[in-house]
Amino acid sequence: QVQLVESGGGLVQAGGSLRLSCAASGRTFSSYAMGWFRQAPGKGREFVAAIRWGGAITNYVDSVKGRFTISRDNAKNTVYLQMNSLKPEDTAVYYCALGFGLNLSITSTYQYWGHGTQVTVSS
């Protein structure tokens, strides 16, 4: 089994920055993708960003392009999401996920999920 633990969430003013981390432990794999999703109150889970094993291929939802950066450290089994220029509409619970599928932007690609970390952006 795989455990994913997110950290780094919190309350920040609009225009501020946060860095989320997600550490994977337990059963080890190679060549897995990792992604970040978010869910705001009353809304469905939305794709935010993803990165393939080698780190050269990344995907982002249009609303965060130029503001968020996903990266990973395979030696530490950790993925990061650097979030800059945060907006109130970024407020959500952020989840990291690990999977092996081809389409990085859909939830069914991912087999393992963390419990989430709250990000709140005040105006």
Side-chain angles (χ1 to χ4, degrees):
Q1 199 49 277
V2 173
Q3 293 79 43
L4 301 177
V5 179
E6 303 97 337
S7 61
L11 173 63
V12 64
Q13 289 188 332
S17 299
L18 285 173
R19 187 193 195 206
L20 305 184
S21 300
C22 174
S25 62
R27 182 181 174 185
T28 59
F29 302 98
S30 62
S31 302
Y32 56 87
M34 295 194 77
W36 287 97
F37 288 74
R38 64 187 180 187
Q39 189 163 14
K43 295 187 177 181
R45 195 164 293 191
E46 174 193 33
F47 169 74
V48 177
I51 186 168
R52 288 213 178 272
W53 172 260
I57 297 176
T58 57
N59 287 19
Y60 297 91
V61 68
D62 286 346
S63 61
V64 308
K65 286 180 180 177
R67 300 189 298 123
F68 291 11
T69 303
I70 189 170
S71 60
R72 64 189 293 168
D73 183 337
N74 290 337
K76 296 181 179 179
N77 292 320
T78 299
V79 65
Y80 306 96
L81 186 67
Q82 178 66 44
M83 306 187 295
N84 298 329
S85 302
L86 282 161
K87 304 176 181 180
E89 51 263 43
D90 295 318
T91 295
V93 177
Y94 283 70
Y95 299 90
C96 76
L98 184 155
F100 307 93
L102 296 178
N103 188 336
L104 298 180
S105 63
I106 59 176
T107 57
S108 58
T109 287
Y110 301 91
Q111 287 73 46
Y112 301 98
W113 292 82
H115 291 295
T117 185
Q118 177 70 47
V119 171
T120 303
V121 184
S122 63
S123 57

